[in-house]
Amino acid sequence: MTEQFDKYVHELQEAMLEGYSEKLKNEFLNPENLGKIDNPDSHVSLTGVCGDTIEMYLSIKDGKISDIKFMTDGCGPTIACASYVTRTARKMSIEEALKIKPEDVDRYFDCLPEEHKHCAVLSVVTLRTAISKYRNELKNK
Ligand code: FES
């Protein structure tokens, strides 16, 4: 029974991931930086056109992203895109991190399926918004 159930789950997973590149599948199944940061320097929550939400947490030291985490209720590609974006931004200066583009994410994953291009946009916009919020709060201190 357990064997049959495992087989069913595996087949279901394969069907869900059809059309995804190997890199996209691997990132979705092994995401990095999932979680929250206590007392972050910035925290934002953004909901995309599809209704999926990404929350992002940043710790910033000397103008560099020293820690970054995310949470999402989104689809596999959203998890993969946010994982890639947070991994790439970690240890970057905030100016460098602002240069990450949705096209970079799309290229990294060997072209996201058309209906999931906006997952890359949501991930990048969430990062940019978290950085902007941090900068605005610095200005107002
Ligand atoms: Fe909308 Fe992934 S399907 S962010």
Side-chain angles (χ1 to χ4, degrees):
M1 182 70 180
T2 309
E3 213 171 276
Q4 258 182 335
F5 181 71
D6 288 349
K7 189 174 172 245
Y8 171 74
V9 169
H10 180 75
E11 282 171 4
L12 197 64
Q13 204 172 42
E14 284 300 312
M16 276 169 52
L17 301 178
E18 209 181 306
Y20 292 8
S21 70
E22 281 308 307
K23 270 186 180 172
L24 187 58
K25 283 187 211 172
N26 286 338
E27 191 94 28
F28 159 49
L29 296 172
N30 306 289
E32 292 183 35
N33 305 315
L34 252 181
K36 298 179 180 181
I37 295 175
D38 291 332
N39 302 315
D41 293 306
S42 183
H43 167 234
V44 294
S45 178
L46 250 68
T47 301
V49 283
C50 61
D52 287 356
T53 299
I54 298 178
E55 275 186 80
M56 216 171 265
Y57 301 79
L58 300 183
S59 289
I60 298 172
K61 297 266 176 313
D62 302 324
K64 287 193 170 182
I65 297 174
S66 58
D67 199 7
I68 181 166
K69 300 258 189 229
F70 77 96
M71 298 287 286
T72 184
D73 61 359
C75 62
T78 306
I79 295 168
C81 290
S83 173
Y84 172 74
V85 165
T86 53
R87 183 172 69 246
T88 305
R90 183 182 283 275
K91 308 293 180 217
M92 278 184 166
S93 69
I94 52 178
E95 284 76 21
E96 287 172 316
L98 284 169
K99 291 180 188 157
I100 299 171
K101 297 188 291 293
E103 295 81 359
D104 302 330
V105 183
D106 191 46
R107 197 172 315 115
Y108 177 78
F109 287 119
D110 301 325
C111 202
L112 291 161
E114 205 53 48
E115 67 277 19
H116 289 292
K117 300 262 187 218
H118 72 273
C119 308
V121 175
L122 181 62
S123 301
V124 169
V125 171
T126 305
L127 173 65
R128 289 180 184 169
T129 305
I131 292 172
S132 295
K133 186 178 175 199
Y134 168 75
R135 282 178 154 172
N136 283 340
E137 284 174 2
L138 264 192
K139 258 192 243 163
N140 296 329
K141 274 188 181 170

